[in-house]
Amino acid sequence: AGRRDALDNVEYVAAGYTASGAPYYRASTSSSSYLYWDPDCSGNGFGANWIVDTDQPSTTAASDLDGDGSCIVIAYINSSSSSPPLGTTTWTVWCNPWTDIGLTLAYPSPPPPPPPPPSPLPPLPPLPPPLSPGMVQLSCDFEVDTCAWTDTAPAGYTWTRTSGSTSTSYTGPSEDHTTGSGY
C-alpha cells in the first residue's frame, strides 16, 4: 500500500534543488515520498533517472542522492534530462516484480527559480597614490614593526619598541597614542 500511496493521485510540491541544479519535490500529504532526478542512483554507473523514493535526496551529493549505494526506489524512469518528465510516460515500478506502467506527471505552475548565487564580496578600498621618487612615507603606528625606520641615535642611546609606559618617569609617553594599549 505504501508504494501505491506514493504514486496514485499524489500532489508533489517543490521542496528545493539538488547539487546538479535539478528541482526535487515532496509529496504534499506527507514527508515520506520524494520525486527527484539522480544522475546515477547507485553511484556505480546505473544511469540518470527520475525517481520516486521514500528517502529525501541529498542537496550536496553529485550522485546516489539517497546515499544507499544501490537503486532501491519505489519507481523510476530513465532520463538524461533534469527537467521533470511531464505528461504520461512509462515508469518502472516495484510491484514485486518490477513492472512498467504509465504514470502522468503534471504541475499546475512552473517550479520556483533556483536560489540566487551568493552576494559578491564588497569592493576593496582604493589604493593610496604612489609615492614620488625621493619621497618617504611617514605614516607608521609601530603596531606591527618599526616600519623600516632605522636607529641612528648617537652611541649610548637606543630606540626600543615597547608596549606600555617607560620604566622611568618623564622619559616617554604613558601609553600608545593610537590605541592606548599597543606599541
Side-chain angles (χ1 to χ4, degrees):
R3 292 183 182 272
R4 186 177 178 96
D5 292 344
L7 301 174
D8 286 344
N9 296 315
V10 175
E11 178 182 359
Y12 285 89
V13 294
Y17 291 87
T18 62
S20 70
Y24 75 93
Y25 305 87
R26 176 185 48 80
S28 63
T29 55
S30 73
S31 60
S32 62
S33 183
Y34 295 89
L35 173 68
Y36 59 91
W37 183 76
D38 194 332
D40 180 358
C41 69
S42 68
N44 296 315
F46 185 77
N49 295 279
W50 272 92
I51 291 173
V52 176
D53 197 355
T54 56
D55 295 317
Q56 181 174 355
S58 167
T59 58
T60 58
S63 63
D64 187 18
L65 302 189
D66 63 359
D68 65 2
S70 62
C71 295
I72 300 172
V73 298
I74 296 170
Y76 69 92
I77 183 171
N78 293 326
S79 176
S80 60
S81 172
S82 62
S83 296
L86 300 177
T88 302
T89 52
T90 302
W91 286 66
T92 302
V93 180
W94 178 249
C95 296
N96 197 15
W98 288 103
T99 305
D100 290 339
I101 62 171
L103 293 177
T104 303
L105 287 183
Y107 43 68
S109 60
S119 299
L121 295 174
L124 294 173
L127 294 172
L131 297 175
S132 299
M135 288 182 68
V136 176
Q137 186 160 353
L138 298 177
S139 171
C140 178
D141 62 10
F142 299 99
E143 292 298 319
V144 176
D145 58 22
T146 60
C147 307
W149 287 77
T150 57
D151 183 359
T152 59
Y157 297 95
T158 304
W159 284 97
T160 306
R161 183 176 162 263
T162 61
S163 179
S165 62
T166 56
S167 58
T168 56
S169 297
Y170 307 108
T171 59
S174 60
E175 63 182 28
D176 175 84
H177 77 283
T178 56
T179 67
S181 61
Y183 288 89

